[in-house]
Amino acid sequence: MKSSVKNNGDKSGKTSSDRFAIYAAVVVLVFFGIVTYFIYQSRMPGKNDAELSYVELKQTIVNDQGMVARLAVTVQVNNGDEGWLSDNEEQLNAQFKKELTSIDLSSLRTKEGFVELQDELKRRFNLVFKTDKIQAVMVTEILLQDQR
């Protein structure tokens, strides 16, 4: 009889230690789950730390005396101005096409000409729309082809 009592005592001790191991594993898994969630939230691609908004204008093709260029630009504004940006997107597209007719396409072959185009578009857009909301105009696509 003594041996059977001893076995029951061992079984209850094993059961409580098995439960402790399960509880400890659950706590560790929950902890790692919470840590993973916060790491994911801090690196979410939708998070905009710079507080900027963008709109890409329609791709435009220009033919200037045998030199053909295909350009697309993105306009950048501060987060509070995204409403203005979406309201004026169509006018910005029209102005972009108009501005491209007055540039020298061969100047886009140099880095200086490229940067000058971006700065000039920003200046002209702000001037035409009588605002200072446009922070930058970035060329996102360019293809130059000389057909002479």
Side-chain angles (χ1 to χ4, degrees), residues 55-58 60 73 75-77 84-99 121-122 124-126 128-129 131 134 137:
V55 68
E56 186 169 356
L57 300 183
K58 292 179 184 172
T60 303
V73 297
V75 178
Q76 170 189 314
V77 297
W84 177 89
L85 189 59
S86 63
D87 292 344
N88 291 295
E89 183 175 354
E90 192 146 330
Q91 292 89 351
L92 283 165
N93 276 310
Q95 187 64 34
F96 175 52
K97 287 180 183 180
K98 184 179 176 183
E99 294 300 327
L121 286 173
K122 173 189 166 190
R124 295 288 297 238
F125 285 168
N126 279 327
V128 168
F129 290 95
T131 186
I134 297 173
V137 176

Side-chain angles (χ1 to χ4, degrees), residues 83-144:
W84 177 89
L85 189 59
S86 63
D87 292 344
N88 291 295
E89 183 175 354
E90 192 146 330
Q91 292 89 351
L92 283 165
N93 276 310
Q95 187 64 34
F96 175 52
K97 287 180 183 180
K98 184 179 176 183
E99 294 300 327
L100 286 183
T101 60
S102 66
I103 66 166
D104 177 24
L105 295 178
S106 61
S107 70
L108 297 178
R109 293 189 184 273
T110 65
K111 183 177 179 176
E112 293 80 20
F114 192 78
V115 171
E116 186 178 313
L117 170 68
Q118 293 179 129
D119 293 341
E120 184 64 17
L121 286 173
K122 173 189 166 190
R123 188 187 72 72
R124 295 288 297 238
F125 285 168
N126 279 327
L127 183 69
V128 168
F129 290 95
K130 296 179 175 88
T131 186
D132 62 347
K133 295 180 186 226
I134 297 173
Q135 301 298 313
V137 176
M138 299 161 285
V139 175
T140 53
E141 182 178 331
I142 185 167
L143 176 67
L144 297 174

Side-chain angles (χ1 to χ4, degrees), residues 6-69:
K6 199 173 195 180
N7 286 339
N8 285 342
D10 287 343
K11 283 184 182 178
S12 65
K14 256 187 182 178
T15 306
S16 65
S17 69
D18 288 343
R19 285 185 186 159
F20 176 77
I22 291 172
Y23 292 145
V26 168
V27 168
V28 168
L29 285 174
V30 168
F31 173 76
F32 282 120
I34 291 170
V35 169
T36 303
Y37 173 77
F38 282 112
I39 290 172
Y40 174 75
Q41 287 295 334
S42 69
R43 295 183 182 200
M44 278 186 58
K47 191 173 180 182
N48 190 350
D49 289 334
E51 297 183 1
L52 300 171
S53 293
Y54 304 90
V55 68
E56 186 169 356
L57 300 183
K58 292 179 184 172
Q59 185 181 77
T60 303
I61 298 174
V62 179
N63 187 345
D64 182 28
Q65 300 171 2
M67 174 79 79
V68 179

